[in-house]
Amino acid sequence: AAANRGRYVLEHFSDTPEVENALAIMVESYDQLELPELREDAMKVLRANFPNNQLVSAR
């Protein structure tokens, strides 16, 4: 459910500061759900747009 909420933010509120948090939630959710392809896709977008995010620098 958390990953879906993150995706909703990206789709409907893409011009807000919460996009970074939504992407981070998606990365963590997909990791916990053991969906590596989706996790990596979300991580690529996070890395490209928010290179200073904690998740990006931790991996």
Side-chain angles (χ1 to χ4, degrees):
N4 288 334
R5 287 191 293 272
R7 187 179 48 189
Y8 184 86
V9 169
L10 292 178
E11 292 173 356
H12 298 281
F13 303 102
S14 61
D15 57 345
T16 66
E18 291 307 311
V19 168
E20 181 176 3
N21 290 331
L23 285 165
I25 288 169
M26 290 171 66
V27 169
E28 291 177 348
S29 297
Y30 292 142
D31 192 36
Q32 290 180 11
L33 291 169
E34 298 179 4
L35 297 169
E37 291 177 12
L38 293 175
R39 185 195 68 78
E40 189 55 36
D41 288 345
M43 180 59 88
K44 285 178 185 176
V45 176
L46 183 64
R47 187 178 297 120
N49 292 286
F50 304 100
N52 295 325
N53 183 280
Q54 285 181 323
L55 287 177
V56 172
S57 58
R59 295 178 191 233

